Amino acid sequence: MKLAIVGAGYVGLTSAAVFSDLGHTVYAVMRNRAKMNKLQQGDLPIYEPGLEEVVRRNGAVGRLIPTLDYSEAVSESEVVFLCVGTPSLPSGEADLSQIDTAVAEVAKHLQSYTVIVNKSTVPIGTAERVRKIVKEINPSAQFDMASCPEFLREGTALKDTLEPDRVVIGTNSRRAQELLLAVHEKLPGERVLTDIKSAEMIKYASNAFLATKISFINEIANVCEQVGADIKDVAYGMGLDKRIGKYFLDAGLGWGGSCFPKDVRALHNIALTNDYDFKLLKAVIDVNNDQRYRAVTKVRQAVGGNLDGQEIAVLVLAFKPDTDDIRDSPAIQIIHLLLKEGARVRVYDPVAMENSRQKLSGVVFAPDATSALEGAMVVLLATEWGEFKDLDWQSLKQVVAAPRLINGRNMLDPIKMRTLGWHYVGVGRP
Ligand code: UGA
C-alpha cells in the first residue's frame, strides 16, 4: 500500500521506517528542507537506536521517500497519518496548530478515497475538528477519519513499533477499518477496534495511568526513606502480582519527556473543560514536581546545607536513557534549581549535549564523564543510562573533590558503592 506520514519526529519517522520495512511505500512529509535533504542521505534529525539503519535500508530501495511535497504524497496515498507535534499551551491545553496546518495541506491534495488518521496524541474530538477543516477546504473530498494512537517509547521506539502490545484502530467507517487492518497486517498485537473518541481516550488514559503508577511508586519510595525500607524490594514484591505488573515501578526523579507531562496536563484540562475535576491527576502532577525538589535537597544536604559556590557534576541530561531528547527533562530542571542556589555545575551526556546547549547557560559542558566529575563535591547521576554503570567508580574517587553520589534512578548497587568508599544516596533505599 502507499501511505503518507506527515511529521518526522520520533513517532512519524519511526512509523515511516517500520511501515516501509513491512513493505509499504511511505512518503515521509516534512516541512524543513535542510532536515529533509539530510534524511534523504540517511541522516536522522533525531537520535533513536537502530532507526538510522532501517531508514537507510528503505530509503535506498525507494520505499521510504522523504518529501516536502504534500501534493504527490497525499494524492498517491490511501492512508495519511498525522504525526505532528501537539505540545502544551501555557493553560495545559494541547496546541493543535501543527495539526491544523498539516490538515489544511492534506485537504487540498485529496483526490481519491483516503483515510486520514490521527497518530499524534490529540484531545478527544480532534478527529471531528479535522473532518470539518477538510470539508471546508475540499467539500468534494472522499475521506474517512480514524484514530490510531501510538504507544512507542523514545529509546526503544523501533522495538515498540515492531512488537506492539496492541494496535488501536478507532473509526466509525467499516471501509477505513478494513484499510487500517491491512496497513497493520504484519504487526503482532491484539487489535482493538473501537470508535474514534474511545481510541483518542485510550492514548491519554494509558499515559496518565503510567504517570500515575510512577508518581505512586515515587511516593512509596519517599516513605521508604522515612521508615528505612528498600523501594527496590518493595517494587519487586508488588510487581509480581499480575494485577499490578512489574513495569513502570522504578522510582526516580519523576517522569519527564515530551509525552507524560503534556498528556497528563492535557487530560486534566480536558476533564475540566467537560465539567469534571480529575483530582487524582492533579496530585500525580504535584508529586512529580516535588520529586525534583527532593533531589535538590539531597544534593544540598550532601554538601552540608549550602549550595553556594559548590561544584556539582550532573551526568545525563536527557529525560531518559538512549535518547537525545531533553524536553521536560528532570535533570535540566534540577540543574536550573542548583544554579539558582549558586552551585557551579559541570555536565555530561552521551548524546544530548547539542540539544542542551540552548537550554542551559552557566554550566560547563564536559567532553566526557570523567572530566565532568573533576573537582565535584557531589555527583548527580540523573537516569539509568547503562554506560555509567560501568564507569570505574573506584578510580573516579581520585577525580572528584569528595566521593558523594546521588543516584536518581537507583542504577548502582548502594552496598558496592559504599564499599568503594562513596557516600551514596539513592531514591527510596536505606
Ligand atoms: C511514553 C509512553 O511510555 C509511551 O507508551 C507513549 O507512546 C509515549 O510516552 C508517547 O506518548 O509518545 P516516553 O515518554 O518515550 O514514552 O518514555 P517512557 O519510557 O514512558 O518514560 C517517561 C518518563 O517516565 C521518563 O522520564 C522515565 O525516566 C520515567 N519513568 C519510566 C520512571 O521514572 N519510572 C519508570 O518505571 C518508568
Side-chain angles (χ1 to χ4, degrees), residues 413-426 429-430:
D413 180 358
I415 297 174
K416 201 171 145 203
M417 291 304 287
R418 283 178 200 135
T419 313
L420 289 178
W422 282 82
H423 167 84
Y424 179 92
V425 180
R429 307 207 72 184

Side-chain angles (χ1 to χ4, degrees), residues 393-411:
W393 290 100
Q394 169 75 32
S395 316
L396 287 172
K397 268 196 314 180
Q398 318 313 320
V399 174
V400 293
R404 300 184 186 116
L405 180 73
I406 312 289
N407 193 180
R409 271 302 283 278
N410 293 331
M411 185 177 69

Side-chain angles (χ1 to χ4, degrees), residues 317-335:
L317 302 169
F319 80 100
K320 62 178 284 190
D322 294 313
T323 181
D324 61 350
D325 195 344
I326 54 156
R327 284 175 288 177
D328 244 308
S329 166
I332 302 280
Q333 192 188 345
I334 288 167
I335 291 168

Side-chain angles (χ1 to χ4, degrees), residues 72-232:
E72 187 192 351
V74 173
S75 60
E76 287 286 318
S77 297
E78 290 169 89
V79 181
V80 176
F81 287 96
L82 302 174
C83 301
V84 295
T86 51
S88 276
L89 290 168
S91 63
E93 212 179 320
D95 177 359
L96 296 179
S97 56
Q98 291 183 49
I99 292 268
D100 292 350
T101 311
V103 170
E105 284 301 318
V106 170
K108 282 189 227 159
H109 302 290
L110 289 170
Q111 282 181 7
S112 48
Y113 175 80
T114 309
V115 182
I116 302 176
V117 187
N118 270 332
K119 224 181 202 329
S120 309
T121 304
V122 288
I124 291 90
T126 302
E128 208 32 57
R129 170 190 172 117
V130 170
R131 186 196 306 279
K132 281 190 191 139
I133 299 175
V134 175
K135 279 270 167 214
E136 243 166 58
I137 295 174
N138 187 347
S140 61
Q142 295 293 307
F143 72 102
D144 275 313
M145 287 304 306
S147 163
C148 286
E150 177 54 60
F151 301 101
L152 66 80
R153 289 162 297 175
E154 290 179 24
T156 51
L158 210 49
K159 185 172 183 296
D160 291 345
T161 311
L162 281 166
E163 298 165 25
D165 291 337
R166 75 293 209 192
V167 173
V168 175
I169 298 178
T171 176
N172 306 331
S173 145
R174 177 54 69 90
R175 186 174 179 188
Q177 190 183 83
E178 296 295 330
L179 266 174
L180 289 170
L181 283 168
V183 169
H184 294 91
E185 196 181 6
K186 291 187 183 155
L187 289 176
E190 185 165 337
R191 273 42 178 169
V192 180
L193 305 179
T194 183
D195 61 276
I196 294 180
K197 285 187 177 176
S198 303
E200 290 170 340
M201 184 56 114
I202 286 171
K203 172 68 190 191
Y204 275 114
S206 300
N207 273 4
F209 185 80
L210 291 170
T212 303
K213 207 173 170 188
I214 299 168
S215 280
F216 181 85
I217 205 67
N218 281 336
E219 290 231 274
I220 295 287
N222 298 342
V223 180
C224 282
E225 287 176 7
Q226 300 302 117
V227 300
D230 188 339
I231 191 63
K232 280 273 192 188

